[in-house]
Amino acid sequence: DNQYNYDYDLLYKLVLIGDSGVGKSNLLSRYSNNDFQINSKSTIGVEFATKAVKVDGKIIKAQIWDTAGQERYRAITKAYYRGAVGALIVYDITNTKTYENCSDWLNILSTNLENNDIVIGLIGNKKDLQHQRSVPIEEAQEFARNNQLLFTETSALSNENVEKAFTQLITTIYENSK
Ligand code: GDP
Ligand code: MG
């Protein structure tokens, strides 16, 4: 998986946002496996992991940023968003509040972006907890459609659709940039 990490054609910065506890960090570690890095810039308080993927014969290095808990206070700095070409807004399908807050996250994202050429995906995580579901999939799909967001339900726990969600985001960014 990581054999492409040393050389690449394109570098994409992607950011993870959404309420605390929805599974952002687990999605990232699931996707990036053992390629997890703790960023030394502790003043910013972010971590990132990288993963290289091949799209259309090109090696794209995705640098995926995760918060170190600042989302709890909505205190993510502008530096976190700077230069991002993709974002995943994550909620927990068993927690309605985290879903309702996605429109706030969408606003926060747009106020922090200098460049509006960003592809955004909505992620309903904890898909494995079907018996505790409180957010209907149809409702989230409609919200995504109305806001031109990609949409996937995932489980970081069972590893369902995790790769698909990231790949879809990366592929869409690539296609849009052609
Ligand atoms: P973050 O605050 O958004 O980074 O969320 P974390 O990745 O730290 O996860 C918060 C909690 O949710 C942890 O207890 C995880 O084990 C749990 N969790 C994360 N993803 C899933 C999932 O897909 N399914 C289930 N059942 N639990 C999950
Ligand atoms: Mg986290």
Side-chain angles (χ1 to χ4, degrees):
D1 255 346
N2 297 320
Q3 75 263 38
Y4 306 123
N5 258 345
Y6 304 101
D7 199 9
Y8 53 88
D9 299 305
L10 295 162
L11 177 68
Y12 287 175
K13 176 179 172 179
L14 312 177
V15 294
L16 288 167
I17 53 176
D19 284 2
S20 180
V22 298
K24 299 181 298 299
S25 298
N26 276 275
L27 284 167
L28 181 56
S29 52
R30 180 63 84 179
Y31 180 62
S32 63
N33 314 308
N34 35 24
D35 193 24
F36 194 75
Q37 303 175 359
I38 307 282
N39 189 349
S40 57
K41 290 186 217 163
S42 56
T43 48
I44 302 177
V46 298
E47 297 170 345
F48 65 84
T50 58
K51 174 117 169 171
V53 290
K54 210 167 186 178
V55 179
D56 198 19
K58 298 219 164 42
I59 299 164
I60 300 176
K61 182 170 174 173
Q63 185 187 70
I64 308 154
W65 291 47
D66 186 21
T67 66
Q70 306 94 320
E71 74 276 24
R72 187 166 290 130
Y73 316 102
R74 302 282 170 97
I76 302 174
T77 62
K78 226 177 168 70
Y80 187 77
Y81 302 98
R82 191 169 300 132
V85 294
L88 292 175
I89 303 178
V90 186
Y91 68 92
D92 171 351
I93 70 154
T94 73
N95 184 332
T96 305
K97 191 72 198 155
T98 67
Y99 169 69
E100 290 169 352
N101 285 340
C102 287
S103 54
D104 292 350
W105 284 112
L106 202 52
N107 289 333
I108 291 169
L109 185 60
S110 54
T111 54
N112 277 283
L113 291 172
E114 312 105 67
N115 140 22
N116 286 338
D117 266 354
I118 187 167
V119 179
I120 307 168
L122 178 68
I123 302 287
N125 190 43
K126 308 200 185 180
K127 187 181 194 297
D128 56 289
L129 300 176
Q130 286 300 337
H131 54 294
Q132 292 174 43
R133 174 189 289 275
S134 63
V135 182
I137 190 166
E138 297 77 16
E139 194 181 326
Q141 272 165 337
E142 194 185 344
F143 175 76
R145 202 167 343 144
N146 292 340
N147 290 282
Q148 290 163 304
L149 313 175
L150 303 170
F151 175 68
T152 321
E153 281 194 347
T154 59
S155 170
L157 184 76
S158 70
N159 199 10
E160 193 176 351
N161 288 346
V162 176
E163 173 129 23
K164 182 183 162 199
F166 282 98
T167 304
Q168 181 173 244
L169 182 71
I170 292 164
T171 307
T172 305
I173 296 164
Y174 178 78
E175 291 298 327
N176 288 358
S177 71
K178 280 208 289 197

